[in-house]
Amino acid sequence: MTIPALLLALALALPGQDAASTPAVTVPSEPALSTAIADRDTVLFRVMFDDCDPAALADLVTDDIEFYHDRGGLMSTRTAFVADYQKGCEAKKAPDAFRSRRELVPGSMRVYAIPGAGAVEEGTHLFYERRGDGPEKLVGRARFSMFWKLDADGQWRLSRAFSIDHAAASAPE
């Protein structure tokens, strides 16, 4: 069997959703696609690090979100993801709690269209921390890949995320 024939056979054998039950969406072309994803990235990380708004986070992710972290493992479902986030928000209320900030490394973001479904975003980010009102310092960097699903209602929601290659603070790549 040739490789293309084998791949087709595998694709047909895998369980999938009925095409009629999942309407295809029209993914914008460049530069609109990168602009839309960059906007969602900004909103997601503002909510994650600054706002402590569980309802806003829940609206940014799909019901079946899967978040893979090279240090923390797999977290799946919107309920678990938002509950974990809410615990972190509660911990930040202490006056001497650690507060974090995420910064996307300029020029590192890449966006790839997935026709009829959404887009993949990948890049590198830096993390900063401060304790209470203390000074902020660079504490680490990581790479990420995220699948943003474009829902039929026109909303981009995070569906899959890989947070990988975490390392101690270093100069941006």
Side-chain angles (χ1 to χ4, degrees):
M1 186 176 276
T2 66
I3 291 177
L6 178 62
L7 291 175
L8 178 59
L10 283 172
L12 293 173
L14 293 174
Q17 293 182 334
D18 178 5
S21 68
T22 306
V25 293
T26 302
V27 176
S29 57
E30 290 297 344
L33 176 62
S34 287
T35 299
I37 297 303
D39 288 347
R40 293 315 279 177
D41 178 275
T42 298
V43 170
L44 175 69
F45 285 100
R46 186 192 69 233
V47 168
M48 292 291 296
F49 286 90
D50 300 335
D51 295 352
C52 278
D53 184 346
L57 180 63
D59 191 49
L60 286 167
V61 301
T62 61
D63 286 336
D64 65 343
I65 184 170
E66 291 180 359
F67 180 79
Y68 299 88
H69 195 282
D70 64 356
R71 293 192 176 162
L74 167 64
M75 183 175 303
S76 60
T77 78
R78 178 187 289 162
T79 302
F81 189 69
V82 173
D84 187 65
Y85 165 76
Q86 190 163 6
K87 276 193 239 176
C89 288
E90 291 301 316
K92 286 182 187 178
K93 290 179 180 178
D96 65 341
F98 280 99
R99 288 163 180 69
S100 300
R101 180 173 67 86
R102 178 261 193 176
E103 183 178 294
L104 180 65
V105 172
S108 72
M109 187 179 88
R110 301 284 182 266
V111 176
Y112 306 94
I114 306 296
V120 172
E121 172 194 12
E122 61 182 26
T124 301
H125 40 206
L126 303 174
F127 298 98
Y128 296 83
E129 254 181 20
R130 66 182 168 84
R131 186 173 198 136
D133 292 327
E136 182 180 79
K137 72 177 200 171
L138 177 64
V139 295
R141 67 151 188 84
R143 292 183 312 124
F144 65 92
S145 292
M146 300 189 292
F147 174 67
W148 290 94
K149 181 180 179 192
L150 181 56
D151 286 337
D153 65 2
Q155 294 297 310
W156 290 97
R157 290 190 173 84
L158 182 62
S159 178
R160 303 291 182 266
F162 296 87
S163 185
I164 55 173
D165 197 25
H166 285 82
S170 65
E173 296 176 358

